[in-house]
Amino acid sequence: IGRPITDLKPNIDIPNLESLVAQSVDTMSLKELEVQDRYGHWYSLRIRPYKTAENVVEGAVLTLMDIDALKAEVKELHLYAEAIVETVREPLIVLDSNLRVVATNAAFYETFKVSKAETEGRFIYSLGDGQWNIPALRELLERVLPAQAAFEGFEVQHKFPDVGERTMLLNGGQIRTRKGGAPLILLAIEDITERKKAEAALRALPAQLVDSQEEERRRIARELHDSTGQTMAALTLNLSVLDGKADCLDDRGRAALSDSLDLASQVSEELRNMSYFLHPPALDEMGLDGALRWYVDNFVKRTGLEVDLVLPKRLPHLPEPARLTAFRLVQEALTNAHRHSGSKTAKVVVAQGDGELALEVADEGSGIPPDHVKGLGLLSMRERVTQLGGRLEINSGDDGTSIKAVLPITTTTESAIP
């Protein structure tokens, strides 16, 4: 008692003890720190100014609290938490309130090909020579997170120098460490690049099916026109030669020959129509407007369904895929109206808008049967329109069916209708 505290040699290492006591007395504030004895036992040291009854500061009171068990428990919990984080397969990153990296897991290092030394303690936007300086991530961390405190399912696409183009799904939120302490930010990064590729491949399958179907139609149309059509032309020519010798035949033979000529002519006409329906040459030769007028005229003759065709005075230029899509949509919709609706009339309206071509086919029938709503024909229509960046709407009920499609177009004109 009465000796300077620095003369004491306790078994607890307290660096700068005299300075800490002086600061506590001078500032009238509590000083608190954790210290260890020579055996590694942990204590909480508190230095508090001491006042007399006259409210005069005469010194400081030092207290030691044994926190060794608490420290051991905290360490164990910390190791437990680290073990859990390391087993998570998704990359995880913890940031402080200044957006500096506090910790990451092994999955983060493995996914983004970086090391712990070049990651922890660094500003997130400076990681990997700025590869995390992503505008969408800035928006998330600097605006979304402070306002919402949590987020999920935030999709970010970015090209990283070492790992290439990646699509990531971000989830995270703020973590309060202690009362009054600055929050940490936990960011979970799910790499969904391969999943997105698989989804894109699945979406492309119907489009590939449509393309394959169209190519098969072209092939069959060519075969019918170039091979079967030529064979029928030769057959008709041979029958015409026989017709010139009809006087040599009896009545029954002449009748059979005449019927054969009529049948050959009918088959030739059906083959030509079938070839044109599979892939109409008028679509390439006369454009969409000419092809639609040709198709509707023939459709009315074949089916007896009255069709009102409304076309604009000028049709915009359409590349071959869009031109074919518009034609097939009208073809499929009119075929459905004839086969399933029971309607006596139908209307086809083609209109040009601002950078768009709108088509609508409507009837006044009984609607599309439920088993045909998801049929291949309607599915093909939807896939054709979607593939071109357009949209399709189908409304069907007891008062009829309306199929509307909108396709993006260019502005140059393709043809004019007199």
Side-chain angles (χ1 to χ4, degrees):
I1 296 176
R3 295 175 60 188
I5 194 170
T6 53
D7 289 350
L8 302 179
K9 302 297 182 182
N11 67 345
I12 299 177
D13 182 21
I14 308 175
N16 303 319
L17 178 59
E18 187 175 7
S19 174
L20 291 172
V21 171
Q23 290 177 23
S24 177
V25 172
D26 293 341
T27 61
M28 296 292 293
S29 61
L30 172 69
K31 297 293 182 181
E32 186 173 6
L33 67 155
E34 294 178 355
V35 295
Q36 281 182 293
D37 63 17
R38 297 172 185 174
Y39 307 103
H41 206 88
W42 283 96
Y43 298 88
S44 173
L45 171 65
R46 291 186 177 184
I47 306 173
R48 187 188 307 273
Y50 167 71
K51 294 181 181 180
T52 65
E54 290 77 21
N55 201 31
V56 177
V57 178
E58 288 192 345
V61 176
L62 281 68
T63 59
L64 286 170
M65 180 183 297
D66 189 338
I67 60 169
D68 193 70
L70 180 61
K71 288 283 289 187
E73 183 179 355
V74 170
K75 183 177 180 180
E76 183 179 352
L77 289 173
H78 182 71
L79 293 174
Y80 180 64
E82 281 187 343
I84 293 176
V85 168
E86 288 301 322
T87 60
V88 175
R89 297 176 62 182
E90 296 178 358
L92 297 177
I93 184 168
V94 179
L95 307 172
D96 63 18
S97 58
N98 296 316
L99 301 184
R100 290 188 175 275
V101 180
V102 176
T104 54
N105 65 347
F108 181 88
Y109 300 130
E110 182 179 351
T111 300
F112 298 104
K113 312 301 180 187
V114 292
S115 67
K116 183 175 182 178
E118 59 188 1
T119 301
E120 289 192 0
R122 297 190 61 185
F123 189 46
I124 186 170
Y125 302 139
S126 66
L127 295 180
D129 294 327
Q131 65 181 3
W132 283 92
N133 191 8
I134 307 170
L137 183 60
R138 279 186 173 273
E139 174 78 10
L140 182 68
L141 295 177
E142 297 172 16
R143 295 186 62 183
V144 176
L145 188 57
Q148 300 181 184
F151 58 87
E152 61 180 19
F154 195 94
E155 188 173 313
V156 173
Q157 190 170 8
H158 186 66
K159 186 174 183 179
F160 293 90
D162 296 328
V163 296
E165 189 81 26
R166 313 306 293 177
T167 303
M168 301 169 291
L169 207 60
L170 306 182
N171 301 284
Q174 297 179 355
I175 305 173
R176 293 286 176 180
T177 55
R178 61 183 182 274
K179 186 176 181 180
L184 298 176
I185 300 171
L186 175 63
L187 190 63
I189 307 167
E190 182 182 359
D191 187 347
I192 59 171
T193 305
E194 297 305 319
R195 190 179 84 189
K196 296 291 283 188
K197 288 180 180 179
E199 290 173 354
L202 286 175
R203 287 195 302 270
L205 285 177
Q208 293 173 2
L209 176 61
V210 170
D211 291 341
S212 299
Q213 183 186 57
E214 198 59 52
E215 184 57 36
E216 185 65 11
R217 285 182 171 184
R218 288 174 185 266
R219 185 189 66 78
I220 296 174
R222 286 195 300 267
E223 288 291 330
L224 290 176
H225 181 272
D226 298 340
S227 179
T228 311
Q230 296 302 318
T231 300
M232 287 304 305
L235 176 61
T236 301
L237 181 61
N238 289 340
L239 289 174
S240 298
V241 172
L242 289 176
D243 190 47
K245 306 290 185 179
D247 292 342
C248 300
L249 302 175
D250 57 18
D251 292 342
R252 185 178 179 185
R254 284 194 295 272
L257 178 58
S258 178
D259 287 344
S260 296
L261 280 168
D262 290 341
L263 288 172
S265 178
Q266 180 180 340
V267 170
S268 296
E269 180 68 18
E270 290 177 354
L271 284 173
R272 182 165 55 252
N273 288 336
M274 187 178 298
S275 175
Y276 284 2
F277 293 151
L278 286 170
H279 185 73
L283 191 59
D284 300 322
E285 297 166 2
M286 296 184 291
L288 179 60
D289 55 345
L292 287 178
R293 285 202 300 272
W294 168 83
Y295 176 76
V296 168
D297 288 344
N298 281 273
F299 182 83
V300 171
K301 292 176 183 177
R302 288 188 299 109
T303 65
L305 185 69
E306 295 182 16
V307 179
D308 181 15
L309 176 63
V310 180
L311 295 168
K313 291 183 177 180
R314 287 184 178 274
L315 276 178
H317 171 73
L318 290 174
E320 197 272 342
R323 188 167 60 240
L324 183 58
T325 294
F327 180 85
R328 291 298 187 207
L329 189 142
V330 173
Q331 185 181 32
E332 183 69 29
L334 286 179
T335 299
N336 284 339
H338 170 60
R339 291 179 178 175
H340 308 300
S341 73
S343 177
K344 301 298 182 182
T345 62
K347 188 172 185 178
V348 179
V349 179
V350 181
Q352 178 186 354
D354 185 13
E356 294 180 334
L357 184 74
L359 301 94
E360 181 178 5
V361 182
D363 63 54
E364 298 177 345
S366 58
I368 303 175
D371 58 336
H372 285 79
V373 171
K374 295 184 180 181
L376 184 59
L378 294 179
L379 176 62
S380 297
M381 276 196 281
R382 190 175 297 280
E383 289 303 325
R384 287 177 185 274
V385 172
T386 302
Q387 190 177 11
L388 295 177
R391 53 189 185 274
L392 181 71
E393 179 182 338
I394 301 174
N395 295 305
S396 184
D398 295 337
D399 57 347
T401 298
S402 171
I403 299 177
K404 301 178 183 178
V406 177
L407 301 174
I409 58 172
T410 55
T411 56
T412 56
T413 57
E414 176 185 72
S415 59
I417 300 177

